[in-house]
Amino acid sequence: MLPNQKNGIYGHGRERYDAVLEVLETKKGNYTDDTVWNAMKAAAQDPNPDNITSNTQWSISYNNTDLSADIAIRRHWRDVTHCELETKVMTPLK
């Protein structure tokens, strides 16, 4: 696949998809927090001065068990913000 090309159903992000898949396949379903971050790092895009939207703005790892999220902004992988999430029951509008 060529970078930044229309690659079938995956669009121009195919190389990023492949990078994530490669990380996940090495762990064979035994995923940890490190696996998630390694996959996001592998798919992250460095800034491109010719294309303002071609860079990773943020990366978020959600933990559905303890209802939390870890957030890294602009590929600052060592500066992660941890957020505790809470659930709320939604009632439909009448």
Side-chain angles (χ1 to χ4, degrees):
M1 295 289 146
L2 295 173
N4 305 313
Q5 301 296 311
K6 180 84 172 135
N7 296 310
I9 64 171
Y10 301 104
H12 73 277
R14 176 62 192 255
E15 57 277 354
R16 296 175 68 212
Y17 171 87
D18 289 342
V20 169
L21 191 59
E22 183 177 328
V23 171
L24 297 179
E25 286 177 344
T26 63
K27 294 300 179 177
K28 299 181 179 154
N30 298 316
Y31 306 134
T32 65
D33 289 341
D34 287 339
T35 307
V36 172
W37 286 103
N38 289 336
M40 287 192 282
K41 290 175 189 178
Q45 293 177 298
D46 292 330
N48 178 347
D50 297 327
N51 184 349
I52 195 165
T53 63
S54 182
N55 66 85
T56 298
Q57 303 286 322
W58 62 84
S59 299
I60 303 175
S61 171
Y62 293 100
N63 184 315
N64 294 336
T65 303
D66 70 5
L67 298 178
S68 65
D70 293 323
I71 306 164
I73 305 297
R74 296 226 181 246
R75 298 165 322 283
H76 293 206
W77 308 113
R78 296 182 192 269
D79 185 16
V80 174
T81 301
H82 181 78
C83 299
E84 297 293 326
L85 308 172
E86 64 180 68
T87 59
K88 293 190 180 209
V89 176
M90 304 291 284
T91 56
L93 296 174
K94 295 184 180 190

